[in-house]
Amino acid sequence: MSYQHAVVWIDHQHATVIDFSVDDQHVAVVEREEGGQRQVHRKSGLPGSGKPAPDHHFYDEVAAALGDAREILIVGPGVAKQELKKDLDQRHKALAGRVVGIESADHPSSGQLLAMAKKYFKRIDALRGEG
């Protein structure tokens, strides 16, 4: 089934993707593989930013979970949401073109995330004259 909207909540360890239409929804959870860097400790005198490299495999799985949704909202705490968008821009251009917004959100439940997304997309559709 093709869903019209999708919302992804992401941090550096997991992502929750909810794709939905008016009457139906599908929830997918993507977990970062074990062995991923859990905490960053920067040591003085070492070159580099002290940040782990982007986990392209994790972002590929999130992209696959987003499927063919027509519009995508990315939410989450911290910078993971911007990192996902940057990865989509570089490696999944067609999917990146369907991202309509990036918003901050702490740790909502799936129900809260879905309600937030429905409200966001309703506002977007109204602005476009579709709702």
Side-chain angles (χ1 to χ4, degrees):
M1 173 174 206
S2 178
Y3 291 93
Q4 183 168 336
H5 300 298
V7 59
V8 56
W9 180 94
I10 188 166
D11 66 12
H12 288 290
Q13 300 306 317
H14 73 273
T16 301
V17 177
I18 303 175
D19 44 4
F20 60 95
S21 59
V22 175
D23 298 326
D24 191 24
Q25 70 182 21
H26 174 259
V27 178
V29 176
V30 179
E31 297 288 336
R32 188 175 191 158
E33 288 186 14
E34 287 300 316
Q37 190 167 351
R38 298 251 184 235
Q39 196 169 13
V40 177
H41 296 282
R42 185 174 180 160
K43 295 186 178 185
S44 179
L46 292 179
S49 67
K51 296 180 183 177
D55 185 344
H56 296 298
H57 178 72
F58 176 57
Y59 294 141
D60 288 344
E61 288 185 21
V62 173
L66 288 167
D68 59 355
R70 186 172 63 106
E71 296 177 322
I72 300 166
L73 172 63
I74 301 173
V75 299
V79 299
K81 58 191 174 290
Q82 285 90 5
E83 290 175 2
L84 172 61
K85 177 64 166 100
K86 183 177 178 181
D87 190 81
L88 293 175
D89 287 340
Q90 294 172 349
R91 302 176 62 245
H92 302 277
K93 291 184 188 329
L95 198 58
R98 297 190 306 242
V99 173
V100 295
I102 301 173
E103 297 287 328
S104 294
D106 194 17
H107 290 81
S109 68
S110 291
Q112 291 169 325
L113 183 60
L114 181 60
M116 174 195 306
K118 285 183 176 183
K119 183 177 179 181
Y120 186 90
F121 287 120
K122 186 175 182 179
R123 187 177 66 216
I124 293 292
D125 290 346
L127 288 172
R128 291 183 181 158
E130 297 174 11

